[in-house]
């Protein structure tokens, strides 16, 4: 099974240019392994055939065609949505599989044993379980018009359509005996703050259920087949303090073997629970593994935990590592501001007012941040810092030259303020750079450096004007992803790790867990990897960023 599983082909079809890169599916697996391209601009309220095109870049994935002339279209849409978001379960394949009482109960200091009638430690029933019919509302704003900021409308009248996803958490009945579980954890792609936190909490929660056989697969998917890589036994004692440092206890890598080879290895190891931490490409691999296990009638639960500091996973409020990355990015922006911004002095220098004194004469602080296809880090870091004059993201086109270009506005800023700070996402305006056919181990296109390009254009522009511009270029890329998770991400990682284990014991497979409208939910993996989540240029958050920077349109 060297290519993507046919079982998900109808829901997840990569662009032809991407699919043709390699016959080995896992040559494109990693943090952002499968390069998922889709238009960065949409037309709000425009009709395409029978379907109104959604205006939001993170729109809620309607069916390909809706006949709005059908008076029952809303009912059909909701029914279709329910089917698409139905969670794959072990009983779909093993019809006779019977559940058993859960061994997870916080009224016990240790896992519940068979000694207790019905699985409970006392006659009092614990009300801490989640009912399988519990749902989380996907959309919480009822837009009255397609012209509203950030509007997500299915039809021209913005009809309210309820969309629900499954609530995450422990179930009263489970489908695995803890003593028979052989769990494995794998981290793929690049580093991300919080990886160790998630690993730690998965192990601790498995231990509470009563699982003793837990291993880590080092260095991503390749750890399944590389004979020189040994699996790492994991226990509560091993993982107790790993969250105090950055990186991943298990290591990471991009690329790897085929799906068939991975599942062969799982069969050999007796793995029946697999927890996969990674981005879109890694999750595409996880669902392919899930489908291969079903094809072989293996009783295996494959559960993903989305990992990308770019925050580009569909339908989720945020992914772990994002808050930490924004916090670290803000420090880089602050450094750029100190390099070029106004000096802080108790007394002005002789003949120089406070408003005129700067660390660098006509200084420009240029900070490049991560964000291959989405500008969430750049946007949020700019908002958090309050020191950015120009924020450039992949979703919003811009010109460097011309009467409305960046350089003309930069000239204005230097003439009026004496300094400026620019924040640019790595994937912004790639059309301005010389194209390359090079790819990394995950199949991602290797980008040119937009930061260096802008730096050179600034120097060239002001040299031709006969004036100066002292450009300070800061690229904190690897600093953002190698550090320890902050408090916000630490909490998020803890809950995601716990819910991943709950989902596996509940018998779900081919799912991932995420934060949706402040609640934790389970999603079928194909529904969240269709394409990257993007910043909506008409969203209130982008409007807030523009209000903060005061920048004009650069087109």
């Amino acid at each position: 099974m060297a290519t993507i599983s046919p079982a998900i082909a109808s829901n997840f079809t990569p662009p032809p240019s991407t699919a043709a890169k390699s016959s080995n599916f896992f040559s494109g697996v990693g943090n952002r392994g499968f390069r998922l391209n889709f238009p960065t601009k949409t037309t709000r309220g425009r009709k395409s055939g029978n379907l109104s095109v959604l205006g939001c870049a993170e729109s809620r994935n309607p069916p390909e065609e809706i006949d709005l002339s059908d008076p029952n279209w809303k009912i059909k849409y909701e029914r279709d949505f329910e089917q698409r978001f139905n969670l794959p379960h072990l009983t779909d394949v093993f019809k006779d599989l019977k559940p058993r009482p859960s061994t997870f109960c916080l009224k016990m200091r240790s896992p519940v044993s068979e000694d207790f009638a019905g699985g409970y430690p006392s006659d009092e029933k614990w009300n801490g379980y989640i009912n399988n019919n519990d749902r989380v509302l996907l959309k919480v704003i009822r837009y009255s018009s397609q012209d509203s900021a950030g509007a997500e409308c299915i039809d021209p009248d913005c009809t309210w359509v309820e969309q629900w996803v499954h609530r995450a958490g422990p179930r009263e009945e489970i489908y695995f005996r803890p003593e028979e579980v052989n769990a494995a954890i794998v981290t793929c792609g690049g580093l991300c703050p919080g990886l160790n936190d998630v690993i730690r909490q998965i192990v601790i929660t498995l231990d509470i259920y009563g699982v003793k056989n837990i291993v880590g697969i080092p260095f991503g998917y390749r750890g399944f087949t590389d004979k020189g890589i040994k699996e790492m036994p994991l226990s509560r004692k091993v993982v107790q303090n790993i969250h105090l440092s950055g990186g991943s206890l298990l290591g990471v890598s991009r690329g790897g073997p085929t799906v068939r080879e991975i599942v062969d290895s799982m069969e050999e190891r007796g793995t029946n629970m697999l927890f996969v931490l990674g981005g879109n490409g890694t999750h595409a691999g996880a669902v392919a593994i899930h489908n291969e296990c079903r094809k072989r009638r293996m009783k295996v639960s494959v559960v993903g935990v989305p990992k990308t500091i770019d925050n580009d996973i569909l339908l989720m409020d945020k992914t772990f590592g994002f808050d930490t990355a924004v916090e670290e990015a803000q420090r880089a922006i602050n450094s750029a501001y100190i390099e070029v911004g106004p000096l802080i002095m108790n007394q002005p220098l002789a003949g120089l007012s406070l408003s005129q004194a700067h660390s660098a004469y006509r200084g420009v602080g240029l900070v490049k941040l991560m964000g291959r296809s989405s500008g969430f880090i750049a946007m949020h870091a700019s908002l958090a810092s309050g020191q950015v004059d120009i924020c450039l993201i992949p979703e919003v086109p811009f010109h460097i030259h011309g009467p409305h270009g960046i350089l003309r506005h930069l000239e204005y800023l230097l003439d009026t303020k004496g300094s400026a700070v620019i924040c640019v996402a790595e994937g912004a305006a790639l059309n301005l750079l010389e194209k390359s056919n090079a790819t990394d181990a995950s199949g991602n296109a290797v980008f040119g450096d937009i930061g260096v390009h802008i730096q050179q254009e600034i120097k060239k522009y002001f040299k031709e004007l006969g004036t100066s511009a002292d450009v300070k270029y800061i690229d904190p890329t690897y600093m953002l992803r190698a550090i320890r998770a902050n408090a916000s991400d630490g909490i998020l990682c803890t809950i995601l790790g716990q819910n991943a284990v709950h989902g596996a014991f509940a018998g779900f497979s081919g799912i991932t867990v995420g934060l949706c409208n402040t609640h934790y939910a389970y999603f079928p993996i194909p529904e969240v990897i269709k394409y990257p989540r993007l910043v909506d240029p008409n969203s209130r958050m982008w409007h807030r960023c523009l209000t903060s920077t005061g920048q004009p349109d650069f087109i």
Side-chain angles (χ1 to χ4, degrees):
M1 187 173 180
T3 57
I4 193 166
S5 169
I8 63 170
S10 61
N11 284 328
F12 175 59
T13 305
S17 59
T18 302
K21 283 182 180 177
S22 172
S23 60
N24 182 347
F25 171 70
F26 277 90
S27 66
V29 167
N31 180 36
R32 291 175 291 269
F34 227 66
R35 179 64 180 157
L36 308 174
N37 299 307
F38 79 109
T40 57
K41 293 190 73 177
T42 54
T43 303
R44 188 167 312 280
R46 177 175 57 85
K47 276 194 176 182
S48 176
N50 292 322
L51 172 64
S52 175
V53 178
L54 295 185
C56 180
E58 53 170 304
S59 57
R60 303 308 190 190
N61 306 333
E64 291 186 1
E65 184 172 332
I66 301 176
D67 183 3
L68 297 177
S69 64
D70 184 347
N72 296 318
W73 73 264
K74 180 179 174 180
I75 296 174
K76 292 179 179 179
Y77 176 90
E78 291 175 341
R79 186 186 304 127
D80 176 84
F81 184 90
E82 181 71 21
Q83 292 174 349
R84 288 190 295 123
F85 280 80
N86 183 49
L87 301 179
H89 196 272
L90 291 175
T91 54
D92 297 340
V93 176
F94 303 96
K95 305 295 184 182
D96 297 330
L97 187 62
K98 302 298 182 185
R100 59 196 310 274
S102 177
T103 55
F104 180 83
C105 182
L106 297 181
K107 291 197 172 189
M108 292 291 291
R109 293 292 182 182
S110 58
V112 176
S113 71
E114 295 286 351
D115 298 335
F116 296 103
Y120 295 105
S122 70
D123 292 333
E124 180 185 355
K125 183 175 180 179
W126 184 54
N127 293 320
Y129 297 115
I130 301 298
N131 190 291
N132 278 333
N133 292 321
D134 287 356
R135 298 290 189 271
V136 175
L137 189 60
L138 195 61
K139 292 173 60 176
V140 295
I141 299 178
R142 182 168 185 168
Y143 297 98
S144 61
S145 168
Q146 297 180 53
D147 297 325
S148 297
E152 302 168 18
C153 298
I154 296 171
D155 68 322
D157 296 326
C158 279
T159 302
W160 173 257
V161 179
E162 292 186 352
Q163 299 171 332
W164 302 88
V165 291
H166 295 255
R167 186 184 178 197
R171 267 53 176 177
E172 189 171 357
E173 294 182 329
I174 58 177
Y175 288 82
F176 289 91
R177 291 179 177 272
E179 64 272 16
E180 297 175 356
V181 170
N182 290 306
I185 307 171
V186 62
T187 57
C188 305
L191 291 179
C192 178
L195 277 170
N196 282 333
D197 301 65
V198 178
I199 294 170
R200 176 178 182 269
Q201 203 56 225
I202 289 175
V203 172
I204 289 175
T205 310
L206 285 168
D207 181 76
I208 293 175
Y209 271 96
V211 178
K212 300 304 178 186
N213 300 316
I214 312 169
V215 299
I217 306 297
F219 303 112
Y221 284 126
R222 69 178 66 250
F224 279 101
T225 58
D226 192 319
K227 299 304 181 184
I229 301 176
K230 303 298 182 183
E231 66 183 26
M232 180 185 299
L234 299 177
S235 65
R236 184 187 286 260
K237 183 176 180 180
V238 171
V239 303
Q240 190 60 45
N241 296 314
I242 63 173
H243 63 301
L244 301 179
S245 61
S248 170
L249 172 71
L250 304 179
V252 294
S253 73
R254 300 184 187 276
T258 65
V259 176
R260 185 182 299 277
E261 291 170 330
I262 291 174
V263 178
D264 286 344
S265 175
M266 291 173 61
E267 275 194 292
E268 183 179 335
R269 299 168 191 260
T271 302
N272 53 10
M273 275 192 191
L274 177 62
F275 299 96
V276 181
L277 283 59
N280 274 330
T282 302
H283 272 65
V287 79
I289 293 170
H290 156 77
N291 283 315
E292 178 69 5
C293 289
R294 282 194 159 195
K295 178 182 175 182
R296 301 187 189 190
R297 293 188 61 81
M298 293 169 56
K299 184 189 172 187
V300 177
S301 181
V302 181
V303 179
V305 180
K307 177 226 64 171
T308 165
I309 63 173
D310 287 356
N311 199 34
D312 60 354
I313 303 293
L314 286 173
L315 310 179
M316 299 183 186
D317 295 358
K318 63 179 177 180
T319 51
F320 76 83
F322 174 68
D323 279 352
T324 306
V326 169
E327 188 173 301
E328 191 68 14
Q330 184 185 224
R331 293 191 181 99
I333 291 172
N334 186 56
S335 297
Y337 179 76
I338 291 173
E339 284 283 350
V340 303
L343 293 171
I344 301 176
M345 301 177 296
N346 292 327
Q347 296 293 331
L349 297 175
L352 195 65
S353 69
L354 285 177
S355 62
Q356 294 172 319
H358 288 72
S359 300
Y361 177 65
R362 292 175 67 84
V364 178
L366 177 59
V367 180
K368 186 187 77 172
L369 300 176
M370 298 184 78
R372 291 180 63 90
S373 52
S374 59
F376 287 102
I377 293 180
M379 177 176 69
H380 282 256
S382 297
L383 270 168
S385 71
Q387 297 163 333
V388 173
D389 299 290
I390 299 174
C391 178
L392 306 173
I393 61 175
E395 296 88 341
V396 179
F398 61 85
H399 293 150
I400 295 181
H401 299 278
H404 303 292
I406 293 170
L407 295 175
R408 182 63 64 86
H409 184 61
L410 187 58
E411 181 184 354
Y412 165 79
L413 291 172
L414 294 184
D415 289 343
T416 56
K417 291 179 57 181
S419 66
V421 176
I422 303 173
C423 178
V424 57
E426 62 177 321
L430 295 181
N431 60 301
L432 301 177
L433 304 177
E434 185 176 345
K435 290 183 171 53
S436 168
N437 293 325
T439 59
D440 62 17
S442 296
N444 296 317
V446 176
F447 290 174
D449 196 322
I450 186 64
V452 171
H453 179 75
I454 292 177
Q455 178 190 32
Q456 293 171 344
E457 291 299 313
I458 292 172
K459 290 181 177 180
K460 179 181 176 182
Y461 178 79
F462 285 97
K463 183 178 180 180
E464 292 176 352
L465 284 181
T467 60
S468 62
D470 189 358
V471 184
K472 310 291 185 181
Y473 180 42
I474 298 177
D475 181 356
T477 298
Y478 291 98
M479 292 175 62
L480 301 188
R481 67 185 203 175
I483 60 177
R484 174 188 174 186
N486 64 11
S488 174
D489 272 328
I491 295 171
L492 178 60
C493 291
T494 295
I495 301 173
L496 292 176
Q498 291 176 358
N499 281 324
V501 176
H502 295 320
F505 265 102
F508 299 122
S509 182
I511 67 165
T512 193
V513 58
L515 184 64
C516 177
N517 290 326
T518 73
H519 296 279
Y520 293 87
Y522 295 132
F523 304 85
I525 291 178
E527 292 298 329
V528 301
I529 63 172
K530 289 184 173 181
Y531 45 79
R533 174 179 179 240
L534 301 184
V535 173
D536 178 6
N538 191 50
S539 68
R540 286 293 300 125
M541 191 59 74
W542 179 244
H543 294 171
R544 293 174 186 124
C545 185
L546 295 179
T547 302
S548 175
T549 62
Q551 69 191 63
D553 292 333
F554 296 116
I555 54 176

